[in-house]
Amino acid sequence: MRDALSRAVRTLQIDTRLLGMIAALVIVWIVFDLLTEGRFLTPRNLFNLSVQTASVAVMATGMVFIIVTRHIDLSVGALLGFIGMTIGWLQAQVLPDLLGIGHPAIWVITIFCGALMGAAIGAAQGYVVGYLAVPAFIVTLGGLLVWRGAAWWVTGGQTVAPLDSTFNLLGGGAEGTLGATWSWLLAAVTSLAAVGLLFLSRKRKSDHGFAVKPFGADIALAGIFVAVIFGFTSVMNAYAIPARAAARMFAARGETMPEGLVLSHGIAIPVVIVLIVATVMTVVARRTRFGRYIFATGGNPDAAELAGVDTKLLTVKVFALMGFLTAIAAVIASARLRSAANDLGTLDELRVIAAAVIGGTALSGGIGTIYGAILGAVVMQSLQSGMAMVGVDAPLQSIVVGLVLVLAVLADIIYRRKTGD
C-alpha cells in the first residue's frame, strides 16, 4: 500500500511537503470536529474560517517574497492597524463632509488612498533596507513601534465607526457574499481556468522537450482540482442566511421576502479577493522577470547582482508590494469588523510570518510558494478557531501556536536535508 502510494505521488509529481501540510490540516480539522461534537466541520464554521483567514492569507503571499529575498517584515500588523484607522477616519469623518454621506465614490477613494499609503510606506522601508543597508529586522521592528503608535494617534485611540455600507461588503457577512448562483459560476470559471492552465503547462513543457507526466496523471490532477473547487463551493452554498437577516436585506431594497425562500451565503467576497491576489502573485512569481529576480536574489544575492540584477531597487519593490498587500488586508479586516479599532492587526505580523514559514518558505531564502503560504494561513486560523471553540485559554493558544511554528521549521529543515534542497 505504501509503495503504491509512493508511486502515485511520483507519477503525479506532487510536492510531498504540500501533501504533508494537507494531511496535517485534515488531522487538525478531524480532531477539532471530534472535540466540538461535530460543530467544527459545519458550513457555518467553515464559512467563518474562510473569512477570518482572508486578511492574513493576503499578507502571507507578500511575506513569501520578503522571506525569499532573505529579509523579514515585522511591521505588517502595525501597518495594517495604521492603514485601517486612517481609511476608517477618511470614510467616517472626512469624505462624507466633502462628498456627502453615502456618496458612491467614498469606498473607491478610501481603498485607493489606503493602497497608495501602504505602497509608499513599504517602499520607504525598502529604501532604508536596500540603499542604506540597515537590516530589515531593525527597520521593520522600528516600523512596528512607529505604525502602532501612529494608529493610535490618528483618532486618539478611539474606535472609528460606522464605515461606508458598500465598503463593509468587502469584509463578508450576510450581504458580502456572491450568493449561490454566482458562487457556482465562479466555481465553473475557476475550474476551467485551472484545467486549462494545467494542460497549457503540459503543452509548453512538451514543446520545449521537457519530460511530462503521463496523460492519465494530468487527467487525475484535473479531476482533483475540479472536485476541490466544487466541493468548497458546495459547502459555502450549504450555509443558509438566517431568515431575519434575509428579510432585512429585502427590506433594504424596498422589497418583500417571498414566503419560504432560503438564501445561501455562497463564497464570501474576502475569499474572492484572496483568490485574485493568489492568482496574480503566482503569475508574478512564475511568469515574470520580477519574480525570477526575486528567487534568484534569494538563492544567491551576490550571483544575482553580478548577473545584472539591481538588488537594491528589487528590495524597494518587494517591500512596496508587501505594503500594498497589507493595505488590501486592512480593507478586509476593517470591513469585516465594520469598524477600525486601535488594536486592529495586533500580532498579525507573527501570524503572517508563521503562515509563510509553515507553508514551506525557507528562512534561508530562495524557496517559497504562494499556495503554500495560503495553506499555512488556513492551518494557523484553524488552530486558533478550533482552540477557541474548545474553550482553550488565550495564553495556552499562543503556546500551542508557538510550538507548532517551531515544529514546522524543524520539519522543514529535516525535509530539506533529506531531499538535498
Side-chain angles (χ1 to χ4, degrees), residues 73-201:
D73 192 341
L74 300 176
S75 68
V76 292
L79 182 57
L80 183 149
F82 174 56
I83 295 175
M85 290 291 280
T86 303
I87 62 179
W89 170 71
L90 280 175
Q91 62 186 292
Q93 300 181 22
V94 177
L95 294 178
D97 292 338
L98 296 176
L99 304 176
I101 298 176
H103 193 282
I106 287 179
W107 71 279
V108 177
I109 297 174
T110 297
I111 294 174
F112 175 79
C113 291
L116 185 63
M117 182 188 308
I121 291 173
Q125 293 186 156
Y127 178 84
V128 176
V129 174
Y131 286 92
L132 303 184
V134 180
F137 180 90
I138 299 301
V139 173
T140 57
L141 179 60
L144 184 154
L145 301 174
V146 169
W147 307 126
R148 182 57 64 192
W152 186 93
W153 177 76
V154 170
T155 60
Q158 297 179 350
T159 298
V160 180
L163 303 183
D164 181 74
S165 58
T166 304
F167 178 87
N168 287 336
L169 298 180
L170 301 176
E175 298 180 1
T177 62
L178 299 183
T181 301
W182 285 102
S183 294
W184 286 124
L185 180 60
L186 177 63
V189 172
T190 305
S191 297
L192 288 174
V195 173
L197 289 174
L198 176 65
F199 286 100
L200 181 63
S201 175

Side-chain angles (χ1 to χ4, degrees), residues 116-360:
L116 185 63
M117 182 188 308
I121 291 173
Q125 293 186 156
Y127 178 84
V128 176
V129 174
Y131 286 92
L132 303 184
V134 180
F137 180 90
I138 299 301
V139 173
T140 57
L141 179 60
L144 184 154
L145 301 174
V146 169
W147 307 126
R148 182 57 64 192
W152 186 93
W153 177 76
V154 170
T155 60
Q158 297 179 350
T159 298
V160 180
L163 303 183
D164 181 74
S165 58
T166 304
F167 178 87
N168 287 336
L169 298 180
L170 301 176
E175 298 180 1
T177 62
L178 299 183
T181 301
W182 285 102
S183 294
W184 286 124
L185 180 60
L186 177 63
V189 172
T190 305
S191 297
L192 288 174
V195 173
L197 289 174
L198 176 65
F199 286 100
L200 181 63
S201 175
R202 175 188 177 86
K203 182 178 183 302
R204 186 181 294 112
K205 289 180 180 179
S206 179
D207 291 344
H208 288 84
F210 293 104
V212 295
K213 296 186 290 290
F215 188 74
D218 278 330
I219 292 292
L221 278 178
I224 293 173
F225 290 160
V226 173
V228 169
I229 292 170
F230 275 89
F232 172 76
T233 305
S234 177
V235 172
M236 295 299 101
N237 283 340
Y239 179 30
I241 297 176
R244 291 184 179 180
R248 286 195 298 269
M249 291 169 58
F250 274 88
R253 300 195 298 263
E255 302 174 0
T256 302
M257 180 177 169
E259 188 71 25
L261 178 66
V262 177
L263 297 179
S264 298
H265 278 81
I267 298 174
I269 292 178
V271 177
V272 178
I273 295 174
V274 172
L275 176 63
I276 295 172
V277 170
T279 302
V280 172
M281 291 293 285
T282 300
V283 171
V284 170
R286 295 184 175 183
R287 303 297 180 191
T288 67
R289 180 182 299 177
F290 177 60
R292 289 192 291 271
Y293 283 176
I294 287 173
F295 283 88
T297 300
N300 192 325
D302 294 333
E305 194 163 1
L306 290 173
V309 178
D310 189 342
T311 56
K312 295 178 180 178
L313 180 59
L314 183 70
T315 300
V316 175
K317 292 179 179 179
V318 169
F319 275 89
L321 178 60
M322 183 74 251
F324 172 80
L325 292 173
T326 301
I328 300 300
V331 169
I332 295 173
S334 56
R336 181 170 68 87
L337 298 174
R338 297 177 179 266
S339 64
N342 185 49
D343 62 349
L344 188 66
T346 300
L347 295 182
D348 271 5
E349 59 276 351
L350 302 183
R351 298 185 184 97
V352 171
I353 294 171
V357 173
I358 290 175

